[in-house]
Amino acid sequence: MSGRRVQHLVVRGKSFQVRLYVPVDLQSVLDRRELRWSVRTREPSVAKSRALNASLAFHRLCDKLRLMKKLSVDDAREIARAFYQKLADSYQTPEPVHPADQDWLDHTQEQIVEEMVLDLGREISNQVYSAPVVTTARTVAGEAGYDFPSEGTEAFRAICQGIARAQVEHARYTLFRQQDLLKPYETQDELFRGGAKAASSSVLNVAEVIQGGLSLGEAIEKYVAAHASGPNAWKPKTGEEKERTFKMVQALLGANRPIKQIKTEHVRELRDFLQAVKAKAKLNESQPEKMLAKAEQDRLNPKTAAKYFGYVRALLRWLVAEGYLEAEPGATIKLATPKGGGKKAVRPFSTDELDQVFTSPLYAGFKSTNQRHLPGKMKRQDGIYWMLLLGLHTGMRSGELLQLAKSDIRLNEEIPYIDIRGDLDLKTEASVRQVPIHSNLFSYGLAGWLAARPKQAEERLFCEIKLGAAGHRTSAASKKLNGYLARIGVKKGRELVFHSFRHAFIDAARSSEVPDERIREIVGHKDTSITGGYGQGASLAALMKEMTKIEFGLAEATRTLLQGNALK
């Protein structure tokens, strides 16, 4: 096999096997020293992926087993009390019935409760419990962080008896509440008299019970809250990306894990998981292993994986800085990325590709609303039509264009410009700027298009582009714009996207001998030179002077087509 060697994967003849050694402290629990099985493939890349998935799942199992505490009779008593309180708190008043049916309903419910109490009473008396009681006991004990005891032991009888008694008392409580919603209920079983709420709190907060201090879930909540507002607030899209990453972290390590129990091996596990995640994988908090790619080429881009791992490292460093941890676990663990980030960089459109875009059916005439990439006689100037033109002639980011209101296009000023305001959700401080409008856009009909915009465009110029996931316009716009470029045959890989128009603008400006410092001001790049921090920058008039120099290399036939489309 080529590439990095995958731990625990061994070759047996022409096939592959996973071989996992059971940690010494768990050998008695699992009753074996190693686990071994076939990955059922002869394909090296598939075998590597399956071995990694198996290793991650095994490590999570080991961690879960170590966290499980041995259940005592006292623990069973508190779990049963908390379980009853949870049942009582979840009571909901039933829908009213016709008065004629009320007596029959009351009689039926009393019979059901009596039968249930008798059945559970026999189980408690005989200490032989039905499958539903045992299953419930197992689930409740596991949720509280306890290992379920073996059948026949004192702890097994205690937890099953406690759950059965809780179900009996809840049945009585339900019957009582259906007769009287206001009168205080006095439990008949002394096990549930007083202290149940306190027991619930102590049982459900597993991290407090095990070690004390913050659980991982609580730590993440504090970290997110600290960056929800103020000078350190994350931008909305960045915040959502980080929170999604933290959900994966909790799925792998467990939200109830005390942060003081996070070790180097856990950070290494997170690193390996992020390296193996499928690109654009749907979040699966209950089964994170289903997010892993089946083949190496389907994995998350290494640069993106490194960014997500950086979010985890930043969380851990913050916990140290705030005094919740004494030292950063796994500080030496790195996520290396190949040069270039593992994929081709975004490149500008060539002049031939620009001609192909602006003479495509969207501009020359398309077949139908749902087949705009096919030639036809229909023409319509909507948001997509002008997003592409504005992207090339302004160098603006898609996120900037999509936040514009109609009033941000200042056509009637002495020097027409696009106002990118400071109250928008922008990438950097340098993104706040005024972009002079290139004369080409007037000849292509910008003024007529603005005049014909619907009323909704007063607030959102590109109102027909729906909001994407979590309210992001760019996600929905990217699918539309990049999808169209792919359908007309221009986009054949990841290196040509809408952002390529921004690259093409910068290339055209340089070819037209516009100074780099003026290009930076027009496109909103920060000037990192020594003199860049002085003054207010060039005037709008100076920027317009440079803008008029720029030639984009479109063929005469392309320009003629666009001019002919201009709305009067």
Side-chain angles (χ1 to χ4, degrees), residues 87-214:
L87 292 175
D89 290 343
S90 65
Y91 174 78
Q92 292 183 344
T93 306
E95 294 291 330
V97 298
H98 193 278
D101 297 327
Q102 189 64 54
D103 289 342
W104 174 85
L105 183 62
D106 290 343
H107 177 69
T108 301
Q109 289 176 333
E110 288 176 3
Q111 280 188 320
I112 293 173
V113 169
E114 287 178 4
E115 290 177 7
M116 180 178 176
V117 169
L118 285 173
D119 289 342
L120 289 171
R122 280 193 289 268
E123 292 185 28
I124 294 169
S125 177
N126 298 330
Q127 296 190 33
V128 177
Y129 298 97
S130 62
V133 170
V134 175
T135 300
T136 303
R138 185 188 305 276
T139 301
V140 174
E143 289 176 348
Y146 290 92
D147 189 17
F148 194 66
S150 301
E151 188 172 353
T153 62
E154 186 180 40
F156 174 84
R157 291 191 294 273
I159 186 63
C160 289
Q161 182 188 119
I163 294 302
R165 288 169 66 177
Q167 290 174 332
V168 167
E169 194 63 37
H170 178 248
R172 293 169 178 155
Y173 173 82
T174 300
L175 198 60
F176 176 84
R177 273 286 164 257
Q178 288 177 1
Q179 302 297 323
D180 193 325
L181 289 172
L182 300 178
K183 186 178 179 180
Y185 175 73
E186 295 183 8
T187 57
Q188 297 184 35
D189 191 327
E190 62 180 11
L191 175 63
F192 306 111
R193 291 176 187 167
K197 286 184 182 277
S200 175
S201 174
S202 64
V203 170
L204 295 180
N205 192 340
V206 181
E208 287 282 337
V209 175
I210 295 175
Q211 182 169 321
L214 284 179

Side-chain angles (χ1 to χ4, degrees), residues 388-461:
L388 303 181
L389 282 171
L390 286 166
L392 174 63
H393 288 85
T394 65
M396 290 173 62
R397 302 175 178 94
S398 62
E400 295 168 346
L401 284 165
L402 289 164
Q403 293 183 74
L404 294 177
K406 185 178 177 180
S407 59
D408 294 327
I409 311 294
R410 307 293 184 87
L411 297 185
N412 298 321
E413 303 292 333
E414 182 179 353
I415 299 174
Y417 68 92
I418 299 174
D419 188 16
I420 305 177
R421 297 172 280 109
D423 61 335
L424 302 181
D425 182 15
L426 302 174
K427 187 173 183 179
T428 66
E429 291 183 5
S431 300
V432 180
R433 63 197 189 279
Q434 295 176 341
V435 180
I437 298 176
H438 196 283
S439 59
N440 281 5
L441 294 173
F442 286 98
S443 68
Y444 299 155
L446 177 61
W449 176 68
L450 282 175
R453 288 267 77 194
K455 187 175 181 179
Q456 303 95 295
E458 297 291 339
E459 293 186 7
R460 275 211 306 130
L461 182 60

Side-chain angles (χ1 to χ4, degrees), residues 159-301:
I159 186 63
C160 289
Q161 182 188 119
I163 294 302
R165 288 169 66 177
Q167 290 174 332
V168 167
E169 194 63 37
H170 178 248
R172 293 169 178 155
Y173 173 82
T174 300
L175 198 60
F176 176 84
R177 273 286 164 257
Q178 288 177 1
Q179 302 297 323
D180 193 325
L181 289 172
L182 300 178
K183 186 178 179 180
Y185 175 73
E186 295 183 8
T187 57
Q188 297 184 35
D189 191 327
E190 62 180 11
L191 175 63
F192 306 111
R193 291 176 187 167
K197 286 184 182 277
S200 175
S201 174
S202 64
V203 170
L204 295 180
N205 192 340
V206 181
E208 287 282 337
V209 175
I210 295 175
Q211 182 169 321
L214 284 179
S215 68
L216 178 59
E218 292 167 337
I220 289 172
E221 284 183 10
K222 288 181 179 291
Y223 182 56
V224 172
H227 295 84
S229 60
N232 295 322
W234 297 323
K235 291 185 179 295
K237 189 171 183 179
T238 302
E240 287 158 13
E241 193 175 64
K242 289 186 176 184
E243 289 187 48
R244 184 177 188 273
T245 302
F246 297 148
K247 285 179 180 177
M248 288 192 281
V249 172
Q250 292 181 83
L252 283 168
L253 301 186
N256 287 326
R257 177 185 296 277
I259 57 172
K260 292 179 181 179
Q261 287 189 7
I262 297 176
K263 307 298 182 185
T264 297
E265 57 264 30
H266 300 123
V267 179
R268 185 185 301 113
E269 179 185 355
L270 284 168
R271 189 267 318 271
D272 292 345
F273 176 82
L274 291 172
Q275 286 180 317
V277 166
K278 182 171 61 176
K280 298 182 180 179
K282 185 177 181 181
L283 182 65
N284 191 327
E285 296 179 66
S286 60
Q287 294 178 296
E289 63 274 7
K290 291 191 175 182
M291 298 176 64
L292 301 178
K294 294 182 179 179
E296 193 167 354
Q297 64 267 24
D298 297 329
R299 291 180 183 176
L300 194 67
N301 178 264

Side-chain angles (χ1 to χ4, degrees), residues 316-335:
L316 295 174
R317 287 194 293 270
W318 182 84
L319 291 172
V320 173
E322 294 294 315
Y324 296 114
L325 287 175
E326 293 182 3
E328 180 188 348
T332 59
I333 301 298
K334 309 293 181 186
L335 197 160

